[in-house]
Structure formats: C-alpha cells, structure tokens
Amino acid sequence: MIFSLGFVFMLVCAVGAFFYGVKLGTSKTETKYEMKELQAAAVQTSSPYQQQDLVSFYHTVFLSYREFQSEWDAAMDDFAKGQGGSASSKLKDLAELARSKSTVASSFDMQKSTLLGDAQTNYIRSLEQFEQASKAAASSAKSTGVAKLQSSIERLGSYQLAVKQALAAQQAYYAAMMKWGATVEPNVPTNYTMPKVIEIKTWSSLPLVVKNKLMADLLAKREQLTAFYPQDLTSRIDDFIASGQPAKLNLKSVSAIADLLIDTEAVRSGDFTENHSKLYGNDLLPQLPFFS
C-alpha cells in the first residue's frame, strides 16, 4: 500500500511538474514575442522620417539655405540687368551671408536620419562654396564689369560645385519626404528612382510625394539652380497634362514636358500653392510651410 501510494504521489508530482514546465515555457515565449513587438514599435516611433524631423529640418537647415539663395538670386538678377551698383561690396555681403547661414545650418544635429543628414551636409557645403565664389567674384568685379559679372561667376568652379551640392541636398530632402510618406500610406513606395523615360499614364498614377521627389531628381540631373521648388514643377506638369497640351504637341514623356516648361521659363515659385486645391485636394504631403 505504501509503495502504491508513493508511486501515485510521484506520478502526480511528475504530471504537475510537466504542466508547470509547459506553462512556464509558454509564458517565457509570449514574453519574448511581446518584447520584440514593443521593440519594433519603439523603432517605428523613433523613425528618422517622422513629420517632426522634416519640419525641424525645414526651419533649421532648409530655410537658412533658401534665405541665402533668395539674396543670391536677387543679386544675380541685378547684375544681369547692369544694375549691380557696388558689385564688389554686394558680393562681399553675400560671402558673409553664406558664412553666417552655414553656421546656423551647422548648429543642429540632423544626422540620425541618413537622408536628412546628407541633405544638411550638402547644404552646408554648398553655402561654403557660395562663400568662396562670392569672394572670388568680389576680387575681380571691378575688372570684369557688371554686364559680364553673372556669366563670369557661373564659370567659377566653386559656383558650379555649390549648385551641384545644393541640388543634391534638395534631392535628399525630397527623398526623405517620400520615405515619410511610405510610413503613413501603404501605396507610397519607400524607394522610386527616376526612370529614363516616364510615360504620362505612369506619372499620373504616382502619389504626389513621389512626383515631387522625381522632380528633385530631374533638377539635380539638369544641374540648374532654380528659384522654384520641385512641387512647383510638379504642379505645372500636372496642369499641362490636364489641359490636353501634350497630345497637341506630341509630347509622350514627362521629362520632355518638364524640359519644355523649364526652358520656356513657364515655371514660377508659388505655382504649387496656386494649383493645389484644383489639382490635389487631399493628396498626402507633410505639413511644411512651402506646401501651404
């Protein structure tokens, strides 16, 4: 009897230990997967392509560069019209402005995001090259003459490098906007490279953030500094397509339309905001001032 009772007791203990082990193992497994889910959520929350990161970049880095470019464009327009006044003095002021804006753009850390970090670096380097170009042009302004000053500046290696770096920075910023869009809406791709030929039908099916990124790519390829934004070019292309003009002019690719609009100076800063309600409605965009 004692042997039987002992055997039954051991059997009960063994069965209890088995089920306790199963419960403990299940609990640990569930905890492990819960931790993974929490870590994944934390990564998503700390994504470098949140809207706040795009907004911070806009106010701290992008505006610093654009404020300089606005002054630069105004000076170049004056030179082209022969209205430079004291060109040497104005160029020295531009050099100082480029230096100060570069300092401001450098004072914020945007390096947690690869694309925003690249954009920041290139905008800073662009401003540094504009500073060098301004100093070089100021030294030769008196001997060059105002009428030929703009063309002389555009031949400077420092100016050409400044333009390339500014356009590369713009390209990275708009690519970051597209990556942000991919975290908000599933129909927005994480990556989309500008194809050699993009047909109108394909273009029309793309989300707005992708179109803007492609226009930033196109402007970088042209190596042409413009006062207008990529979204201004996007809106002019969409308006042009909506008007039926491509068929009349036998234009079949978006690149051909873009080249026509740029070369004929048919794109202006502010075209996007003017056409926004007519063309886009509720299309996804980050809440940045130049989209308002």
Side-chain angles (χ1 to χ4, degrees):
M1 185 185 296
I2 293 173
F3 176 77
S4 298
L5 289 172
F7 177 76
V8 172
F9 179 75
M10 290 179 62
L11 185 62
V12 170
C13 290
V15 172
F18 172 76
F19 283 108
Y20 177 76
V22 170
K23 182 179 180 181
L24 184 62
T26 302
S27 177
K28 288 184 176 179
T29 301
E30 289 176 350
T31 301
K32 178 181 178 181
Y33 282 105
E34 286 174 359
M35 287 299 295
K36 285 186 176 180
E37 289 178 359
L38 287 172
Q39 289 171 355
V43 170
Q44 178 68 20
T45 301
S46 61
S47 167
Y49 300 109
Q50 295 182 80
Q51 181 166 259
Q52 184 56 47
D53 295 300
L54 299 175
V55 173
S56 295
F57 183 90
Y58 181 93
H59 287 290
T60 59
V61 180
F62 182 76
L63 272 188
S64 294
Y65 168 77
R66 289 295 298 195
E67 286 167 0
F68 168 80
Q69 187 186 330
S70 178
E71 293 296 324
W72 175 273
D73 289 344
M76 294 305 109
D77 286 343
D78 287 343
F79 295 156
K81 297 173 183 175
Q83 301 173 355
S86 177
S88 179
S89 177
K90 183 170 292 188
L91 286 164
K92 289 177 181 178
D93 289 342
L94 285 171
E96 178 59 27
L97 181 62
R99 187 197 61 76
S100 64
K101 293 300 182 182
S102 174
T103 300
V104 173
S106 303
S107 61
F108 300 91
D109 183 9
M110 304 301 301
Q111 299 301 311
K112 73 173 183 176
S113 160
T114 301
L115 287 169
L116 293 180
D118 288 346
Q120 179 183 32
T121 299
N122 277 303
Y123 273 133
I124 292 168
R125 289 175 177 171
S126 176
L127 288 165
E128 290 172 347
Q129 291 300 317
F130 271 117
E131 180 183 359
Q132 296 304 315
S134 299
K135 288 179 177 178
S139 300
S140 60
K142 292 181 180 179
S143 59
T144 303
V146 175
K148 298 180 180 179
L149 190 54
Q150 184 181 15
S151 60
S152 174
I153 291 172
E154 290 175 351
R155 290 193 297 270
L156 292 172
S158 52
Y159 169 79
Q160 294 171 3
L161 185 55
V163 171
K164 287 181 182 179
Q165 289 172 327
L167 293 172
Q170 178 173 260
Q171 197 175 11
Y173 190 26
Y174 280 78
M177 293 182 208
M178 186 178 71
K179 285 190 178 292
W180 163 81
T183 68
V184 178
E185 287 191 1
N187 67 317
V188 178
T190 303
N191 295 294
Y192 197 104
T193 304
M194 182 73 171
K196 289 184 179 179
V197 177
I198 180 168
E199 296 181 350
I200 293 173
K201 184 178 179 180
T202 301
W203 165 268
S204 298
S205 68
L206 294 173
L208 182 54
V209 288
V210 178
K211 290 180 179 180
N212 290 341
K213 186 266 183 185
L214 293 181
M215 290 304 95
D217 291 345
L218 184 144
L219 292 173
K221 185 178 180 181
R222 287 176 64 98
E223 296 184 358
Q224 181 179 352
L225 198 65
T226 63
F228 60 79
Y229 298 113
Q231 63 265 26
D232 293 316
L233 180 54
T234 295
S235 72
R236 288 292 292 118
I237 290 172
D238 285 335
D239 190 43
F240 191 78
I241 292 171
S243 71
Q245 290 299 312
K248 294 178 181 178
L249 298 174
N250 198 29
L251 297 173
K252 301 185 182 300
S253 75
V254 170
S255 296
I257 296 172
D259 289 339
L260 173 66
L261 293 171
I262 295 171
D263 292 342
T264 57
E265 299 183 356
V267 188
R268 296 285 187 275
S269 179
D271 281 342
F272 177 82
T273 53
E274 183 177 329
N275 291 321
H276 182 268
S277 59
K278 179 177 71 173
L279 295 174
Y280 303 114
N282 296 320
D283 286 61
L284 176 69
L285 283 174
Q287 294 180 5
L288 299 172
F290 61 7
F291 289 137
S292 300

